[in-house]
Amino acid sequence: MDNQKPVSKHKHIVLTSHPHRSAQKPAIHWGKSDPIERGPIIGTLTNANQRNAIGTHSGSYAVYRALAIASGALQANHRPDLTNTSPVVRIGPHPSWADPDRIISLDPFGAIVGEVYTQFYEQGYDIRPTIAVTKAHINMPELLDEVAKGELQIDGKILKSNGNLVVTKVAIDPVWYLPGIAQRLQVKESDLRRILFQQTGGMFPELVTRPDLHVFLPPIGGITVYVIGDVEAITDPNRLLAVRIHDECNGSDVFGSDICTCRPYLVHGIEVCIQTAQSGGAGVIVYFRKEGRALGEVTKFLVYNARKRQEGGDRADAYFARTECVAGVQDMRFQELMPDVLHWLGITRIDRLVSMSDMKYNAIVNSGIQIVERIAIPEDRIPDDAKVEIAAKQAAGYFTPGEVPDAIALAGIKGRGLEE
Ligand SMILES: [Zn+2]
């Protein structure tokens, strides 16, 4: 075929699945407080001899990068020009950064590699940031509705009269320290590595052939943090902190689907964050790309059909069972890894946790963070068709300040049919 374009002069494949000359490979000592002692994490592909991590940067977007290179749009040896990309707000270092058990699923130095690893850059090392910190205005129409109802106040600084909300936002790519992940999940590291290798279709041979490499950049979605108010207030024991941990639900969060409470609860979390920030504290929204309890949207939509078509229609008492039938489990989110981002922010106490999930609550408390108060979604924010979900969750032990539905009540809570 003569219409194919040559994409790279270097067609040989460098296998990294076995240890080789690696004088250039910096050692990683996970959990060291000094970034030089800890060592930079290098997952870039421009120089195989420098690599000290398995996998590569940008999570699942690495596959799009491969397409860009394959199609000739991007040079394989491109190095980013990082001029003016450094964080706009300083976060850390916090004592938790130096605790090898506290943070195992992100690189605490990920935002400041350009600052702490200058000597490596001068020697030609290709070190990429895994965290970026910027500022923005966001605007969600529900916030102005709450202003009109008198539930929220415009202050002109945090919440502006046009409904714009001033935020600091942080994007975080996952960086896994495998011994720590294994310990957190209470499995053997060798089993974890073997199953990660097998269940990605053998995508990362180094998981099983390179026990000398302990850091893995997994091809999964990351985290976005929205901070409302003064970032300094997050770690100030004399100021209040509100937090919502939100797992992605594209259908509701973006498109306003009425089958669940995700967007209304996210908005309520933001409101509590605004009120807390306006009283001198801060609010933190942590948004995880764990669509549909980390089962993905295809599974999620299959479950919707199974729920709506089952005998007796969509019922709260069969809500979890339908998910389990399709996915094999009710949930794949592994909240055990979730508190890492809170520790990265230096959080030791949450005054208002805007969440009803016991899994999240327990994971946060077990990681050593104090929770003072839990805030449920207000009744009037729950869409009609989402009553199935919320009742099922309450009956399963999710936090609720109201009555927990019993078996009879649960069987009576029904959602719309598929064609309605
Ligand atoms: Zn949802």
Side-chain angles (χ1 to χ4, degrees):
M1 295 213 282
D2 54 10
N3 60 345
Q4 290 174 337
K5 32 189 177 168
V7 294
S8 169
K9 279 179 281 186
H10 308 285
K11 289 210 170 155
H12 65 280
I13 290 172
V14 181
L15 282 176
T16 55
S17 54
H18 294 277
H20 54 102
R21 290 173 295 110
S22 56
Q24 293 182 59
K25 180 168 78 74
I28 297 171
H29 301 284
W30 194 266
K32 292 283 178 197
S33 61
D34 175 3
I36 297 294
E37 232 185 300
R38 203 293 305 271
I41 288 159
I42 305 176
T44 38
L45 297 153
T46 50
N47 185 338
N49 294 325
Q50 295 176 357
R51 283 169 55 79
N52 60 9
I54 302 165
T56 188
H57 289 289
S58 306
S60 54
Y61 297 104
V63 178
Y64 284 101
R65 195 169 57 229
L67 291 188
I69 292 167
S71 66
L74 176 65
Q75 292 292 315
N77 60 1
H78 171 77
R79 288 191 181 203
D81 174 0
L82 296 170
T83 309
N84 289 332
T85 62
S86 63
V88 295
V89 177
R90 180 98 207 174
I91 293 173
H94 297 296
S96 52
W97 292 22
D99 182 338
D101 298 325
R102 203 66 91 188
I103 299 176
I104 46 122
S105 61
L106 59 87
D107 175 9
F109 303 108
I112 52 173
V113 291
E115 176 190 326
V116 297
Y117 294 125
T118 44
Q119 65 189 71
F120 284 90
Y121 281 104
E122 282 160 12
Q123 292 168 50
Y125 282 88
D126 183 11
I127 305 165
R128 307 276 171 102
T130 55
I131 301 178
V133 186
T134 188
K135 283 194 169 200
H137 288 187
I138 63 170
N139 195 309
M140 298 175 89
E142 293 95 325
L143 297 180
L144 279 183
D145 296 345
E146 294 307 308
V147 170
K149 282 194 255 168
E151 300 281 332
L152 267 185
Q153 310 295 322
I154 301 280
D155 63 287
K157 203 164 161 253
I158 296 167
L159 184 61
K160 296 177 181 286
S161 58
N162 59 1
N164 276 8
L165 177 62
V166 178
V167 298
T168 303
K169 59 180 185 177
V170 184
I172 303 173
D173 276 340
V175 177
W176 286 4
Y177 179 58
L178 291 169
I181 301 274
Q183 195 185 30
R184 193 77 67 85
L185 300 180
Q186 296 180 308
V187 296
K188 274 171 66 182
E189 189 192 340
S190 55
D191 289 341
L192 173 72
R193 294 172 76 116
R194 176 176 50 80
I195 295 169
L196 280 169
F197 168 69
Q198 290 169 334
Q199 294 298 318
T200 52
M203 203 171 186
F204 303 100
E206 293 96 330
L207 284 167
V208 287
T209 62
R210 297 288 303 271
D212 60 311
L213 299 178
H214 296 291
V215 172
F216 176 42
L217 306 176
I220 59 172
I223 308 169
T224 313
V225 178
Y226 285 83
V227 180
I228 297 156
D230 183 5
V231 170
E232 295 280 313
I234 294 174
T235 49
D236 184 339
N238 299 314
R239 297 159 85 177
L240 293 179
L241 177 67
V243 171
R244 169 151 179 85
I245 309 292
H246 192 91
D247 293 326
E248 179 176 29
C249 172
N250 184 270
S252 173
D253 295 344
V254 179
F255 290 97
S257 145
D258 70 342
I259 199 169
C260 55
T261 55
C262 300
R263 180 168 171 117
Y265 213 166
L266 176 61
V267 171
H268 186 59
I270 293 172
E271 284 166 31
V272 174
C273 285
I274 295 171
Q275 287 159 346
T276 309
Q278 287 176 333
S279 71
V284 169
I285 303 284
V286 184
Y287 193 92
F288 279 90
R289 297 313 189 300
K290 292 182 189 169
E291 175 63 54
R293 294 192 214 132
L295 301 169
E297 260 195 335
V298 171
T299 297
K300 188 175 182 176
F301 292 4
L302 295 174
V303 171
Y304 286 165
N305 284 346
R307 279 173 54 188
K308 303 274 182 194
R309 284 179 179 145
Q310 69 189 322
E311 208 175 316
D314 187 15
R315 310 187 316 272
D317 61 346
Y319 171 80
F320 284 113
R322 288 288 74 77
T323 307
E324 213 169 332
C325 280
V326 179
V329 292
Q330 292 179 2
D331 202 304
M332 267 191 214
R333 284 177 285 184
F334 291 94
Q335 300 295 356
E336 291 93 333
L337 307 180
M338 170 271 286
D340 288 24
V341 59
L342 304 177
H343 291 291
W344 178 71
L345 289 164
I347 294 173
T348 54
R349 187 194 72 216
I350 296 170
D351 298 284
R352 297 166 174 156
L353 178 71
V354 192
S355 168
M356 293 157 80
S357 161
D358 280 352
M359 279 187 290
K360 290 175 187 168
Y361 176 85
N362 291 335
I364 294 170
V365 171
N366 291 340
S367 81
I369 294 172
Q370 184 196 350
I371 294 175
V372 178
E373 186 194 355
R374 298 170 76 178
I375 298 177
I377 186 168
E379 274 291 316
D380 62 353
R381 307 284 181 91
I382 302 170
D384 276 344
D385 201 45
K387 299 230 157 65
V388 172
E389 178 213 36
I390 205 88
K393 286 181 170 178
Q394 286 166 350
Y398 276 53
F399 168 75
T400 171
E403 225 171 283
V404 177
D406 60 16
I408 298 162
L410 214 54
I413 297 168
K414 296 199 169 155
R416 267 191 297 105
L418 262 185
E419 312 287 346
E420 288 172 57

